[in-house]
Amino acid sequence: MYQGAAARLCGEAIDPPRRYTHVHRHHHPTDHEPLGRERNRPPARRPRVRRGPHALERRRRPAPRRGGEPRTARDVAAAVRSARRAGLRIAAQSTGHNAGPLAEQDLSDVMIIRTGALNEVTIDPELGIARVGAGSIWDPVVAAAGEHGLAALHGSSPDVGVAGYSLGGGLGWYARKLGLQANNLTAVVMVTPDGDLVRADEHENGDLFWALRGGGGNFGVVTALEFRLHPIESAYAGWLVWDVTRAHDVLRGYEEWAAGAPDEVSTSFRILNVPPLPEVPEPFRGRSLAVIDGAVLGSDEYGADVLQALRALRPEMDTFGRMPAPALARLHMDPEGPTPAVGTSTVLGRLGEAGIETFVEAAGVGPQSGLIMAELRQLGGAVGRPAIGGGALSHIEGDYVFMSVGIAATPELAAASHTATHGLLAALEPWSTGRNYLNFAESRVEAGTAFDTDQLDLLRAVRAAYDPDEVMVANHRLS
Protein backbone atom coordinates (compact mmCIF):
# COMPACT_ATOMS: atom_id res chain seq x y z
CA MET A 1 0.00 0.00 0.00
CA TYR A 2 1.25 3.49 -0.86
CA GLN A 3 2.47 5.43 2.14
CA GLY A 4 3.72 8.65 0.55
CA ALA A 5 6.99 10.50 0.31
CA ALA A 6 7.01 11.11 4.04
CA ALA A 7 6.80 7.39 4.64
CA ARG A 8 9.62 6.70 2.20
CA LEU A 9 11.66 9.40 3.87
CA CYS A 10 11.03 8.38 7.47
CA GLY A 11 10.16 4.71 7.12
CA GLU A 12 6.79 5.27 8.78
CA ALA A 13 3.21 5.10 7.56
CA ILE A 14 1.11 8.23 7.30
CA ASP A 15 -1.89 8.29 9.62
CA PRO A 16 -5.29 8.03 7.89
CA PRO A 17 -7.21 11.29 7.48
CA ARG A 18 -9.55 12.36 10.23
CA ARG A 19 -13.32 12.11 9.91
CA TYR A 20 -15.12 14.53 7.67
CA THR A 21 -18.58 15.40 6.42
CA HIS A 22 -18.89 14.38 2.76
CA VAL A 23 -22.13 15.15 0.92
CA HIS A 24 -22.70 14.88 -2.84
CA ARG A 25 -24.63 17.78 -4.38
CA HIS A 26 -26.50 18.39 -1.12
CA HIS A 27 -28.29 21.71 -0.58
CA HIS A 28 -27.56 23.70 2.58
CA PRO A 29 -30.43 26.22 2.68
CA THR A 30 -29.09 28.25 5.59
CA ASP A 31 -25.96 29.05 3.60
CA HIS A 32 -27.66 29.63 0.24
CA GLU A 33 -30.19 32.25 1.40
CA PRO A 34 -28.11 35.39 1.03
CA LEU A 35 -30.46 38.25 1.76
CA GLY A 36 -32.34 39.64 4.71
CA ARG A 37 -31.88 39.80 8.46
CA GLU A 38 -33.40 37.28 10.80
CA ARG A 39 -34.14 39.66 13.68
CA ASN A 40 -36.17 37.22 15.81
CA ARG A 41 -33.40 34.65 16.16
CA PRO A 42 -31.50 34.88 19.49
CA PRO A 43 -27.78 35.60 19.43
CA ALA A 44 -25.46 32.63 19.15
CA ARG A 45 -24.27 30.95 22.33
CA ARG A 46 -20.94 32.29 23.58
CA PRO A 47 -18.68 29.40 24.59
CA ARG A 48 -15.11 29.56 25.84
CA VAL A 49 -12.61 31.27 23.54
CA ARG A 50 -9.82 28.86 22.59
CA ARG A 51 -6.34 30.19 23.16
CA GLY A 52 -3.95 30.33 20.22
CA PRO A 53 -0.19 29.80 20.01
CA HIS A 54 0.54 33.34 21.21
CA ALA A 55 -0.97 32.80 24.67
CA LEU A 56 2.13 34.19 26.43
CA GLU A 57 1.73 37.46 24.58
CA ARG A 58 -2.01 37.60 25.12
CA ARG A 59 -1.62 37.56 28.89
CA ARG A 60 0.01 40.96 28.56
CA ARG A 61 -2.94 42.33 26.58
CA PRO A 62 -6.64 42.78 27.39
CA ALA A 63 -8.49 39.62 26.46
CA PRO A 64 -10.99 39.66 23.58
CA ARG A 65 -14.68 39.30 24.36
CA ARG A 66 -16.03 35.79 24.47
CA GLY A 67 -17.24 35.13 20.95
CA GLY A 68 -19.79 32.73 19.61
CA GLU A 69 -19.11 29.42 17.91
CA PRO A 70 -22.06 29.25 15.52
CA ARG A 71 -23.22 26.15 13.69
CA THR A 72 -24.99 27.80 10.74
CA ALA A 73 -24.62 30.93 8.65
CA ARG A 74 -27.71 32.33 10.34
CA ASP A 75 -26.04 31.83 13.69
CA VAL A 76 -23.09 33.85 12.38
CA ALA A 77 -25.44 36.66 11.33
CA ALA A 78 -27.06 36.63 14.78
CA ALA A 79 -23.64 36.81 16.46
CA VAL A 80 -22.60 39.73 14.28
CA ARG A 81 -25.75 41.66 15.10
CA SER A 82 -25.26 40.91 18.79
CA ALA A 83 -21.72 42.28 18.65
CA ARG A 84 -22.90 45.43 16.89
CA ARG A 85 -25.59 46.03 19.51
CA ALA A 86 -22.92 45.72 22.20
CA GLY A 87 -20.65 48.19 20.42
CA LEU A 88 -17.98 45.59 19.72
CA ARG A 89 -15.75 45.12 16.72
CA ILE A 90 -15.58 41.65 15.12
CA ALA A 91 -12.87 39.20 14.16
CA ALA A 92 -13.53 35.89 12.45
CA GLN A 93 -11.42 32.82 13.22
CA SER A 94 -11.82 29.31 11.85
CA THR A 95 -8.86 27.21 13.05
CA GLY A 96 -6.57 29.66 14.81
CA HIS A 97 -3.71 28.86 12.44
CA ASN A 98 -1.32 31.82 12.18
CA ALA A 99 -3.03 33.71 14.99
CA GLY A 100 -0.01 35.95 15.62
CA PRO A 101 -1.07 39.00 13.56
CA LEU A 102 -4.46 39.05 15.28
CA ALA A 103 -2.99 38.53 18.76
CA GLU A 104 -0.69 41.52 18.29
CA GLN A 105 -3.68 43.85 18.06
CA ASP A 106 -5.82 45.40 20.79
CA LEU A 107 -8.71 42.95 21.16
CA SER A 108 -10.30 44.43 24.28
CA ASP A 109 -13.38 45.56 22.33
CA VAL A 110 -13.43 42.67 19.84
CA MET A 111 -15.76 39.69 19.67
CA ILE A 112 -14.04 36.70 18.07
CA ILE A 113 -16.53 34.59 16.13
CA ARG A 114 -15.28 31.03 15.74
CA THR A 115 -16.50 29.41 12.52
CA GLY A 116 -14.95 25.97 13.17
CA ALA A 117 -18.33 24.22 13.40
CA LEU A 118 -19.20 25.27 9.83
CA ASN A 119 -17.18 22.38 8.42
CA GLU A 120 -19.41 20.81 5.77
CA VAL A 121 -17.67 19.54 2.63
CA THR A 122 -19.67 19.07 -0.57
CA ILE A 123 -18.15 17.76 -3.80
CA ASP A 124 -19.95 18.08 -7.14
CA PRO A 125 -17.92 15.80 -9.42
CA GLU A 126 -20.00 16.66 -12.50
CA LEU A 127 -19.32 20.38 -12.24
CA GLY A 128 -15.87 19.95 -10.69
CA ILE A 129 -16.78 22.27 -7.81
CA ALA A 130 -16.27 21.98 -4.06
CA ARG A 131 -18.41 23.83 -1.54
CA VAL A 132 -16.99 23.97 1.96
CA GLY A 133 -17.91 25.63 5.21
CA ALA A 134 -15.61 28.34 6.53
CA GLY A 135 -14.49 26.10 9.39
CA SER A 136 -13.20 23.25 7.26
CA ILE A 137 -9.53 22.36 7.07
CA TRP A 138 -7.89 21.05 3.90
CA ASP A 139 -7.54 17.40 4.91
CA PRO A 140 -11.21 16.36 4.44
CA VAL A 141 -11.56 18.44 1.28
CA VAL A 142 -8.54 16.82 -0.34
CA ALA A 143 -9.72 13.34 0.63
CA ALA A 144 -13.28 13.90 -0.62
CA ALA A 145 -12.14 15.37 -3.94
CA GLY A 146 -9.65 12.55 -4.41
CA GLU A 147 -12.44 9.97 -4.34
CA HIS A 148 -13.57 11.42 -7.68
CA GLY A 149 -10.12 11.78 -9.24
CA LEU A 150 -10.14 15.51 -8.52
CA ALA A 151 -7.69 17.76 -6.71
CA ALA A 152 -8.03 21.07 -4.91
CA LEU A 153 -5.34 23.73 -4.86
CA HIS A 154 -4.49 23.07 -1.22
CA GLY A 155 -1.31 24.18 0.52
CA SER A 156 1.53 22.37 2.22
CA SER A 157 -0.27 21.55 5.47
CA PRO A 158 -3.39 19.36 5.77
CA ASP A 159 -4.79 21.11 8.85
CA VAL A 160 -4.71 24.71 7.61
CA GLY A 161 -8.15 26.29 7.32
CA VAL A 162 -9.56 26.49 3.80
CA ALA A 163 -11.11 29.93 4.30
CA GLY A 164 -8.08 31.88 5.48
CA TYR A 165 -5.80 30.12 2.99
CA SER A 166 -8.15 30.85 0.08
CA LEU A 167 -8.95 34.45 0.95
CA GLY A 168 -5.26 35.29 1.41
CA GLY A 169 -4.05 33.80 -1.89
CA GLY A 170 -3.27 30.10 -1.54
CA LEU A 171 0.13 28.98 -2.87
CA GLY A 172 0.27 25.20 -3.32
CA TRP A 173 1.86 22.34 -5.23
CA TYR A 174 -0.06 23.01 -8.47
CA ALA A 175 0.21 26.81 -8.36
CA ARG A 176 2.73 27.36 -11.15
CA LYS A 177 0.39 25.53 -13.55
CA LEU A 178 -3.07 26.44 -12.18
CA GLY A 179 -2.54 29.68 -10.27
CA LEU A 180 -3.44 30.68 -6.74
CA GLN A 181 -6.37 29.16 -4.89
CA ALA A 182 -7.94 32.64 -4.63
CA ASN A 183 -8.06 32.77 -8.43
CA ASN A 184 -10.00 29.48 -8.42
CA LEU A 185 -12.78 30.62 -6.10
CA THR A 186 -16.17 30.75 -7.80
CA ALA A 187 -18.31 32.08 -4.93
CA VAL A 188 -18.10 33.24 -1.32
CA VAL A 189 -20.98 33.42 1.18
CA MET A 190 -20.43 36.06 3.84
CA VAL A 191 -22.15 37.88 6.67
CA THR A 192 -21.59 41.61 6.32
CA PRO A 193 -20.75 43.83 9.31
CA ASP A 194 -24.44 44.84 9.29
CA GLY A 195 -25.50 41.22 9.79
CA ASP A 196 -26.74 40.54 6.26
CA LEU A 197 -26.03 37.18 4.66
CA VAL A 198 -24.86 37.73 1.08
CA ARG A 199 -23.43 35.72 -1.78
CA ALA A 200 -20.57 37.11 -3.82
CA ASP A 201 -19.68 35.68 -7.23
CA GLU A 202 -19.19 36.93 -10.78
CA HIS A 203 -22.94 37.68 -11.04
CA GLU A 204 -23.80 39.01 -7.57
CA ASN A 205 -21.84 41.55 -5.52
CA GLY A 206 -18.99 41.43 -8.01
CA ASP A 207 -17.02 44.17 -6.25
CA LEU A 208 -17.05 42.17 -3.03
CA PHE A 209 -16.15 38.96 -4.85
CA TRP A 210 -13.14 40.70 -6.39
CA ALA A 211 -11.97 42.05 -3.03
CA LEU A 212 -12.40 38.82 -1.06
CA ARG A 213 -10.01 36.98 -3.39
CA GLY A 214 -6.83 38.20 -1.74
CA GLY A 215 -8.24 40.83 0.63
CA GLY A 216 -8.68 38.41 3.52
CA GLY A 217 -11.05 39.01 6.42
CA ASN A 218 -11.46 42.76 5.99
CA PHE A 219 -15.04 42.74 4.70
CA GLY A 220 -17.15 40.41 6.86
CA VAL A 221 -17.42 36.92 8.33
CA VAL A 222 -17.18 34.30 5.60
CA THR A 223 -19.41 31.25 6.13
CA ALA A 224 -18.80 29.18 2.97
CA LEU A 225 -16.73 29.07 -0.20
CA GLU A 226 -17.07 27.42 -3.59
CA PHE A 227 -14.07 26.71 -5.81
CA ARG A 228 -12.91 24.81 -8.84
CA LEU A 229 -11.42 21.33 -8.60
CA HIS A 230 -9.07 19.92 -11.20
CA PRO A 231 -8.82 16.46 -12.81
CA ILE A 232 -5.57 15.37 -11.13
CA GLU A 233 -5.32 11.83 -9.79
CA SER A 234 -1.59 11.74 -9.13
CA ALA A 235 1.66 13.65 -9.55
CA TYR A 236 5.37 12.92 -9.76
CA ALA A 237 6.39 14.22 -6.34
CA GLY A 238 8.86 13.80 -3.52
CA TRP A 239 12.02 15.08 -1.83
CA LEU A 240 15.69 15.52 -2.75
CA VAL A 241 17.95 15.74 0.33
CA TRP A 242 21.58 16.87 0.85
CA ASP A 243 23.69 17.65 3.87
CA VAL A 244 23.80 21.37 4.57
CA THR A 245 27.48 21.44 3.60
CA ARG A 246 26.22 21.09 0.01
CA ALA A 247 23.64 23.87 0.40
CA HIS A 248 25.59 26.56 -1.46
CA ASP A 249 26.13 24.45 -4.57
CA VAL A 250 22.61 23.04 -4.45
CA LEU A 251 20.95 26.45 -4.11
CA ARG A 252 23.07 27.82 -6.95
CA GLY A 253 21.98 24.93 -9.16
CA TYR A 254 18.37 25.28 -7.99
CA GLU A 255 18.21 28.97 -8.87
CA GLU A 256 19.58 28.30 -12.36
CA TRP A 257 17.11 25.44 -12.83
CA ALA A 258 14.10 27.34 -11.41
CA ALA A 259 14.54 30.25 -13.80
CA GLY A 260 13.73 28.00 -16.76
CA ALA A 261 11.51 25.39 -15.12
CA PRO A 262 8.21 24.60 -16.90
CA ASP A 263 4.88 25.61 -15.39
CA GLU A 264 4.08 21.96 -14.62
CA VAL A 265 6.52 21.87 -11.69
CA SER A 266 6.13 23.65 -8.33
CA THR A 267 8.86 23.30 -5.71
CA SER A 268 10.51 24.75 -2.65
CA PHE A 269 14.10 24.90 -1.41
CA ARG A 270 14.59 24.62 2.35
CA ILE A 271 17.35 24.50 4.87
CA LEU A 272 16.10 22.39 7.77
CA ASN A 273 17.86 22.49 11.14
CA VAL A 274 16.50 19.24 12.55
CA PRO A 275 16.42 19.00 16.36
CA PRO A 276 17.99 15.94 18.05
CA LEU A 277 14.65 14.44 19.12
CA PRO A 278 14.07 10.68 19.45
CA GLU A 279 11.04 10.76 17.15
CA VAL A 280 13.16 12.13 14.30
CA PRO A 281 14.52 9.38 12.02
CA GLU A 282 18.13 8.53 12.82
CA PRO A 283 19.60 9.63 9.44
CA PHE A 284 18.40 13.22 10.05
CA ARG A 285 18.44 13.60 13.83
CA GLY A 286 20.33 16.70 14.93
CA ARG A 287 21.49 17.52 11.38
CA SER A 288 21.12 20.51 9.11
CA LEU A 289 19.86 19.58 5.65
CA ALA A 290 19.25 21.16 2.27
CA VAL A 291 15.95 19.92 0.81
CA ILE A 292 14.10 20.43 -2.46
CA ASP A 293 10.55 19.10 -2.50
CA GLY A 294 7.70 19.55 -4.92
CA ALA A 295 5.48 18.05 -7.58
CA VAL A 296 5.45 17.68 -11.35
CA LEU A 297 2.20 17.37 -13.30
CA GLY A 298 2.84 14.83 -16.02
CA SER A 299 4.14 11.33 -16.61
CA ASP A 300 7.00 9.74 -14.71
CA GLU A 301 9.19 10.13 -17.78
CA TYR A 302 8.35 13.83 -18.03
CA GLY A 303 8.95 14.34 -14.32
CA ALA A 304 12.33 12.62 -14.50
CA ASP A 305 13.31 14.82 -17.42
CA VAL A 306 12.24 17.99 -15.56
CA LEU A 307 14.30 17.02 -12.50
CA GLN A 308 17.37 15.85 -14.38
CA ALA A 309 19.47 18.93 -13.56
CA LEU A 310 18.61 18.71 -9.86
CA ARG A 311 19.41 15.02 -9.67
CA ALA A 312 22.76 15.79 -11.28
CA LEU A 313 23.60 17.52 -7.98
CA ARG A 314 23.76 14.01 -6.42
CA PRO A 315 21.32 14.10 -3.48
CA GLU A 316 21.92 11.59 -0.71
CA MET A 317 18.21 10.75 -0.75
CA ASP A 318 15.69 10.93 -3.62
CA THR A 319 12.03 10.02 -2.95
CA PHE A 320 10.46 11.42 -6.14
CA GLY A 321 7.96 9.04 -7.69
CA ARG A 322 4.29 8.58 -8.54
CA MET A 323 2.13 9.90 -5.68
CA PRO A 324 -1.68 9.96 -5.32
CA ALA A 325 -2.91 13.54 -5.33
CA PRO A 326 -4.41 13.42 -1.79
CA ALA A 327 -0.97 12.48 -0.38
CA LEU A 328 0.48 15.80 -1.52
CA ALA A 329 -1.25 17.48 1.42
CA ARG A 330 1.46 15.92 3.62
CA LEU A 331 4.38 16.10 1.20
CA HIS A 332 5.99 19.07 2.98
CA MET A 333 5.72 17.26 6.34
CA ASP A 334 4.53 20.39 8.13
CA PRO A 335 3.75 19.66 11.80
CA GLU A 336 0.06 19.04 12.42
CA GLY A 337 -1.80 20.44 15.37
CA PRO A 338 -0.95 23.54 17.43
CA THR A 339 2.76 24.33 17.27
CA PRO A 340 4.21 27.36 19.08
CA ALA A 341 6.40 29.13 16.57
CA VAL A 342 7.59 32.50 15.32
CA GLY A 343 8.52 33.39 11.79
CA THR A 344 9.26 36.01 9.16
CA SER A 345 8.46 36.29 5.47
CA THR A 346 8.90 38.47 2.40
CA VAL A 347 8.96 38.15 -1.38
CA LEU A 348 12.42 37.91 -2.94
CA GLY A 349 13.81 38.48 -6.39
CA ARG A 350 16.67 36.53 -7.93
CA LEU A 351 19.41 35.98 -5.35
CA GLY A 352 22.55 35.65 -7.44
CA GLU A 353 25.82 34.55 -5.90
CA ALA A 354 25.81 37.10 -3.08
CA GLY A 355 22.23 36.34 -2.09
CA ILE A 356 22.84 32.60 -2.14
CA GLU A 357 25.88 32.98 0.10
CA THR A 358 23.93 35.20 2.50
CA PHE A 359 20.96 32.83 2.68
CA VAL A 360 23.06 29.72 3.30
CA GLU A 361 25.30 31.37 5.87
CA ALA A 362 22.39 32.84 7.84
CA ALA A 363 20.09 29.81 7.61
CA GLY A 364 22.44 26.86 8.08
CA VAL A 365 23.17 27.67 11.71
CA GLY A 366 22.13 24.38 13.30
CA PRO A 367 19.11 23.48 15.47
CA GLN A 368 20.62 25.06 18.60
CA SER A 369 19.91 28.52 17.12
CA GLY A 370 16.13 28.11 17.38
CA LEU A 371 15.79 28.46 13.59
CA ILE A 372 14.11 25.29 12.38
CA MET A 373 13.46 26.16 8.75
CA ALA A 374 14.31 28.72 6.09
CA GLU A 375 12.35 28.27 2.87
CA LEU A 376 12.25 29.65 -0.65
CA ARG A 377 8.90 28.83 -2.26
CA GLN A 378 9.23 28.91 -6.06
CA LEU A 379 7.17 31.53 -7.89
CA GLY A 380 6.81 32.17 -11.63
CA GLY A 381 4.61 30.31 -14.08
CA ALA A 382 0.90 30.95 -13.63
CA VAL A 383 1.56 32.50 -10.20
CA GLY A 384 3.60 35.26 -11.84
CA ARG A 385 1.06 36.09 -14.55
CA PRO A 386 -2.11 38.09 -13.79
CA ALA A 387 -5.08 35.71 -13.77
CA ILE A 388 -7.89 37.19 -15.85
CA GLY A 389 -10.80 37.79 -13.50
CA GLY A 390 -8.72 36.34 -10.69
CA GLY A 391 -9.53 38.87 -7.99
CA ALA A 392 -7.52 41.38 -5.98
CA LEU A 393 -4.49 39.09 -5.71
CA SER A 394 -4.27 37.93 -9.30
CA HIS A 395 -0.57 37.00 -9.16
CA ILE A 396 2.64 37.40 -7.17
CA GLU A 397 5.63 39.07 -8.78
CA GLY A 398 9.06 37.83 -7.77
CA ASP A 399 11.20 34.71 -7.80
CA TYR A 400 10.50 33.30 -4.35
CA VAL A 401 8.33 33.70 -1.30
CA PHE A 402 10.74 33.45 1.61
CA MET A 403 9.74 32.35 5.07
CA SER A 404 11.59 31.30 8.21
CA VAL A 405 10.28 29.47 11.27
CA GLY A 406 11.63 29.06 14.78
CA ILE A 407 10.16 27.13 17.70
CA ALA A 408 8.71 29.14 20.60
CA ALA A 409 7.83 26.42 23.11
CA THR A 410 9.35 28.43 25.99
CA PRO A 411 10.09 32.14 26.47
CA GLU A 412 13.80 31.39 26.04
CA LEU A 413 13.26 29.51 22.79
CA ALA A 414 10.90 32.21 21.57
CA ALA A 415 13.52 34.88 22.17
CA ALA A 416 16.23 32.88 20.39
CA SER A 417 13.92 32.09 17.48
CA HIS A 418 12.86 35.71 17.18
CA THR A 419 16.49 36.79 16.96
CA ALA A 420 17.33 34.11 14.39
CA THR A 421 14.32 34.61 12.12
CA HIS A 422 14.45 38.40 12.14
CA GLY A 423 18.20 38.34 11.64
CA LEU A 424 17.74 36.18 8.54
CA LEU A 425 15.04 38.51 7.23
CA ALA A 426 17.28 41.53 7.74
CA ALA A 427 20.17 39.81 5.98
CA LEU A 428 17.99 39.16 2.92
CA GLU A 429 16.58 42.69 2.74
CA PRO A 430 18.74 43.66 -0.28
CA TRP A 431 16.96 40.97 -2.34
CA SER A 432 13.44 41.73 -1.11
CA THR A 433 10.94 43.15 -3.59
CA GLY A 434 9.26 45.06 -0.76
CA ARG A 435 6.14 42.93 -1.14
CA ASN A 436 4.60 40.49 1.32
CA TYR A 437 2.57 37.35 0.76
CA LEU A 438 0.13 37.82 3.63
CA ASN A 439 -0.62 34.13 4.23
CA PHE A 440 3.01 33.60 5.25
CA ALA A 441 3.25 36.72 7.43
CA GLU A 442 3.48 35.47 11.03
CA SER A 443 3.43 39.01 12.42
CA ARG A 444 1.19 41.92 11.55
CA VAL A 445 2.25 43.77 8.39
CA GLU A 446 0.65 46.53 6.37
CA ALA A 447 -1.82 44.85 4.02
CA GLY A 448 -0.90 47.34 1.32
CA THR A 449 2.50 45.67 0.90
CA ALA A 450 0.76 42.82 -0.94
CA PHE A 451 -0.90 44.96 -3.62
CA ASP A 452 -0.27 47.57 -6.27
CA THR A 453 -1.47 51.10 -5.52
CA ASP A 454 -4.50 50.83 -7.81
CA GLN A 455 -5.54 47.50 -6.28
CA LEU A 456 -5.11 48.88 -2.79
CA ASP A 457 -7.29 51.88 -3.57
CA LEU A 458 -10.03 49.60 -4.89
CA LEU A 459 -9.80 47.35 -1.85
CA ARG A 460 -10.18 50.34 0.44
CA ALA A 461 -13.18 51.52 -1.54
CA VAL A 462 -14.88 48.12 -1.24
CA ARG A 463 -14.17 48.03 2.46
CA ALA A 464 -15.62 51.54 2.87
CA ALA A 465 -18.77 50.38 1.09
CA TYR A 466 -19.28 47.20 3.14
CA ASP A 467 -17.67 48.19 6.45
CA PRO A 468 -17.76 51.99 6.73
CA ASP A 469 -17.43 51.83 10.52
CA GLU A 470 -14.33 49.59 10.29
CA VAL A 471 -15.92 46.94 12.46
CA MET A 472 -13.96 44.00 11.04
CA VAL A 473 -10.57 43.21 12.58
CA ALA A 474 -8.49 41.17 10.14
CA ASN A 475 -5.03 39.69 10.58
CA HIS A 476 -3.68 42.28 8.16
CA ARG A 477 -6.02 45.24 8.09
CA LEU A 478 -6.59 47.59 5.20
CA SER A 479 -5.79 51.01 6.62
Side-chain angles (χ1 to χ4, degrees):
M1 183 178 68
Y2 175 78
Q3 297 184 356
R8 292 202 298 272
L9 188 65
C10 300
E12 299 172 355
I14 295 176
D15 292 335
R18 56 186 66 118
R19 290 178 175 269
Y20 61 90
T21 303
H22 180 199
V23 186
H24 293 280
R25 305 194 72 176
H26 184 73
H27 180 62
H28 298 277
T30 56
D31 285 348
H32 277 287
E33 297 173 0
L35 300 176
R37 301 184 183 184
E38 190 177 288
R39 297 190 179 276
N40 295 325
R41 189 179 180 89
R45 179 174 59 90
R46 296 181 178 182
R48 175 177 59 87
V49 175
R50 190 176 81 176
R51 295 292 180 184
H54 291 260
L56 290 174
E57 183 173 358
R58 282 189 184 178
R59 283 199 288 268
R60 298 194 295 269
R61 295 179 178 274
R65 299 301 177 96
R66 291 164 63 93
E69 190 160 3
R71 304 193 67 83
T72 70
R74 292 188 182 280
D75 290 344
V76 173
V80 167
R81 294 194 293 271
S82 176
R84 295 302 304 273
R85 288 194 297 269
L88 297 174
R89 296 181 296 152
I90 298 164
Q93 188 177 76
S94 57
T95 67
H97 185 89
N98 197 6
L102 185 63
E104 291 175 1
Q105 303 179 56
D106 179 10
L107 303 179
S108 59
D109 64 341
V110 173
M111 175 185 284
I112 294 181
I113 298 178
R114 298 270 304 164
T115 60
L118 281 68
N119 60 358
E120 301 88 355
V121 174
T122 306
I123 302 297
D124 188 327
E126 296 179 15
L127 294 179
I129 293 291
R131 177 185 174 83
V132 307
S136 180
I137 61 175
W138 274 115
D139 199 18
V141 180
V142 169
E147 293 180 7
H148 304 283
L150 299 170
L153 303 190
H154 60 84
S156 58
S157 178
D159 63 350
V160 165
V162 174
Y165 172 91
S166 301
L167 300 176
L171 181 63
W173 295 123
Y174 312 119
R176 298 186 72 254
K177 179 64 175 180
L178 300 171
L180 299 169
Q181 163 67 0
N183 310 148
N184 283 264
L185 290 173
T186 58
V188 179
V189 181
M190 187 194 83
V191 175
T192 71
D194 287 334
D196 293 325
L197 185 61
V198 302
R199 179 182 175 89
D201 57 28
E202 62 178 355
H203 304 295
E204 298 180 71
N205 302 304
D207 57 344
L208 179 61
F209 184 51
W210 176 87
L212 284 166
R213 290 174 292 164
N218 281 285
F219 311 99
V221 182
V222 169
T223 62
L225 306 96
E226 296 176 7
F227 50 86
R228 286 186 289 272
L229 302 172
H230 299 270
I232 301 171
E233 295 185 2
S234 65
Y236 189 75
W239 285 38
L240 302 174
V241 182
W242 296 261
D243 187 80
V244 75
T245 56
R246 297 286 316 283
H248 189 282
D249 291 340
V250 172
L251 182 51
R252 183 194 297 118
Y254 177 74
E255 179 157 82
E256 293 175 359
W257 170 87
D263 293 0
E264 286 75 13
V265 61
S266 298
T267 63
S268 78
F269 174 92
R270 290 182 290 172
I271 288 182
L272 300 178
N273 295 307
V274 184
L277 300 175
E279 56 266 32
V280 175
E282 170 64 28
F284 307 123
R285 193 177 302 157
R287 292 179 61 189
S288 291
L289 306 170
V291 175
I292 296 171
D293 60 344
V296 183
L297 294 174
S299 67
D300 290 0
E301 294 75 18
Y302 179 72
D305 183 63
V306 168
L307 297 177
Q308 184 176 1
L310 298 179
R311 282 176 163 154
L313 297 170
R314 303 186 311 279
E316 68 178 66
M317 181 170 287
D318 180 348
T319 72
F320 269 86
R322 183 57 40 185
M323 181 180 293
L328 267 68
R330 288 182 168 84
L331 172 66
H332 213 46
M333 294 179 65
D334 287 357
E336 298 180 41
T339 304
V342 297
T344 57
S345 177
T346 190
V347 178
L348 300 176
R350 185 173 176 85
L351 295 176
E353 189 63 27
I356 290 169
E357 184 174 347
T358 298
F359 181 89
V360 171
E361 181 178 349
V365 292
Q368 72 281 353
S369 69
L371 181 67
I372 296 297
M373 182 196 76
E375 177 172 357
L376 302 172
R377 189 71 64 91
Q378 183 186 9
L379 296 178
V383 176
R385 298 188 293 266
I388 298 175
L393 189 64
S394 66
H395 66 296
I396 304 174
E397 295 181 358
D399 289 79
Y400 314 102
V401 175
F402 158 78
M403 74 174 302
S404 64
V405 175
I407 296 299
T410 66
E412 294 76 18
L413 279 174
S417 296
H418 182 276
T419 298
T421 55
H422 284 76
L424 179 54
L425 179 66
L428 293 172
E429 195 278 333
W431 296 274
S432 172
T433 66
R435 291 295 183 88
N436 282 293
Y437 172 54
L438 299 181
N439 275 4
F440 280 4
E442 298 276 343
S443 299
R444 189 180 177 192
V445 299
E446 171 54 51
T449 60
F451 304 99
D452 294 332
T453 301
D454 290 346
Q455 294 169 315
L456 185 59
D457 288 344
L458 286 172
L459 283 166
R460 288 169 173 160
V462 174
R463 177 170 186 185
Y466 285 86
D467 187 16
D469 299 324
E470 298 190 357
V471 171
M472 294 304 303
V473 180
N475 266 14
H476 306 289
R477 299 179 65 191
L478 292 166
S479 58

